Amino acid sequence: MNLVYVYLTLLLLNIFFVINIIFSSYNNGPKKIKTFCTIVSLGLILRYLGLLFTFIMQNIEHIYNIRYLISLNIIGIPGVLLLSYYIFLRKDGLKINFIFIILGFLIIIYIGIIKFVQVSFEIHPIYGYAMKYIEQGWINIGYIFILSLILFMCIISYGVKNSIESGIIMVMVSVMIIIGENILILLGFNLDYNTLIGELVSLITLYYGIKSLKKR
């Protein structure tokens, strides 16, 4: 299959799962989970639409204006993983407020990056225009660090009473895939699918988590 079609298929699959997460959260989730899902899901939909625009558009000025959307994975994907972790942990007395606080920190980091770090665009045979930060390596390292903290939380929480162990494993696998993708990027590998595979696995994990709320 042509790699362009694979890339577009991954983008559309990610959008499909984000939309399903929103609807499932409104059908199955309590109010705060609905709110959190809505925030991170809308951010990710904007990211994927931004990636579609960079693929379709030819005017570099228009593409430069949507650069803010492409980086919303900095907020959205850790948010997806944290919410999945919270749902699968099923720990009595643990309030969801802590992931809202973490989300606030992620938003601050995102604002700092888009405000102070310069970007460049280059033509890519698959993505159309591909965006790259001048300090891309440090951003990848920071992203890996955030994801590693989530992985650590999953490891120390594995086997806790009332938790869904299969779900915790899914979160860990999702984190490790995205970390692996970012490490390959740091090592200079030109990933044909960006980090969309890891993001798709993360979205499937959250979708499974939201669905599990109905069975509780």
Side-chain angles (χ1 to χ4, degrees):
M1 183 184 292
N2 190 306
L3 294 180
V4 172
Y5 294 127
V6 175
Y7 177 66
L8 290 176
T9 300
L10 283 170
L11 273 177
L12 293 175
L13 278 173
N14 282 15
I15 292 171
F16 170 80
F17 274 102
V18 171
I19 292 171
N20 274 277
I21 285 168
I22 293 174
F23 283 112
S24 295
S25 69
Y26 274 81
N27 290 330
N28 304 329
K31 183 177 179 180
K32 287 188 177 181
I33 285 182
K34 292 176 187 176
T35 302
F36 194 91
C37 267
T38 301
I39 294 170
V40 296
S41 296
L42 289 178
L44 287 173
I45 286 178
L46 290 173
R47 164 174 160 76
Y48 300 135
L49 290 176
L51 290 173
L52 279 174
F53 288 145
T54 59
F55 178 80
I56 296 169
M57 287 183 179
Q58 300 299 319
N59 190 321
I60 188 65
E61 290 184 11
H62 293 159
I63 291 172
Y64 190 77
N65 289 332
I66 63 172
R67 67 193 185 278
Y68 305 119
L69 304 182
I70 297 173
S71 299
L72 283 167
N73 61 312
I74 294 171
I75 301 170
I77 294 303
V80 163
L81 294 167
L82 283 167
L83 182 57
S84 301
Y85 167 77
Y86 173 80
I87 291 171
F88 292 129
L89 189 60
R90 301 281 172 91
K91 187 174 181 180
D92 293 334
L94 180 64
K95 303 295 183 182
I96 195 174
N97 295 342
F98 86 97
I99 61 174
F100 277 99
I101 294 170
I102 296 173
L103 185 68
F105 282 114
L106 292 172
I107 291 172
I108 292 170
I109 291 170
Y110 163 78
I111 292 172
I113 290 172
I114 64 172
K115 188 173 179 63
F116 297 110
V117 183
Q118 294 182 330
V119 298
S120 62
F121 286 90
E122 59 185 30
I123 297 176
H124 190 278
I126 293 175
Y127 310 146
Y129 279 98
M131 187 186 82
K132 186 176 182 181
Y133 283 102
I134 303 302
E135 301 293 337
Q136 186 66 52
W138 288 108
I139 292 173
N140 287 121
I141 290 171
Y143 195 46
I144 290 170
F145 176 74
I146 292 169
L147 294 171
S148 298
L149 291 177
I150 298 173
L151 180 60
F152 177 74
M153 289 165 60
C154 291
I155 291 171
I156 63 174
S157 301
Y158 183 75
V160 169
K161 184 181 178 182
N162 297 326
S163 66
I164 301 176
E165 293 182 359
S166 61
I168 297 292
I169 290 173
M170 289 178 69
V171 177
M172 289 193 285
V173 170
S174 302
V175 172
M176 288 188 286
I177 291 173
I178 301 174
I179 288 175
E181 289 173 330
N182 279 272
I183 290 174
L184 289 175
I185 292 171
L186 281 172
L187 293 175
F189 289 90
N190 186 13
L191 295 185
D192 286 336
Y193 309 131
N194 208 330
T195 58
L196 293 180
I197 294 176
E199 291 180 25
L200 177 59
V201 176
S202 300
L203 292 170
I204 292 172
T205 299
L206 179 55
Y207 181 69
Y208 171 69
I210 297 293
K211 285 291 188 182
S212 73
L213 291 173
K214 191 174 182 180
K215 302 175 183 177
R216 189 173 183 182

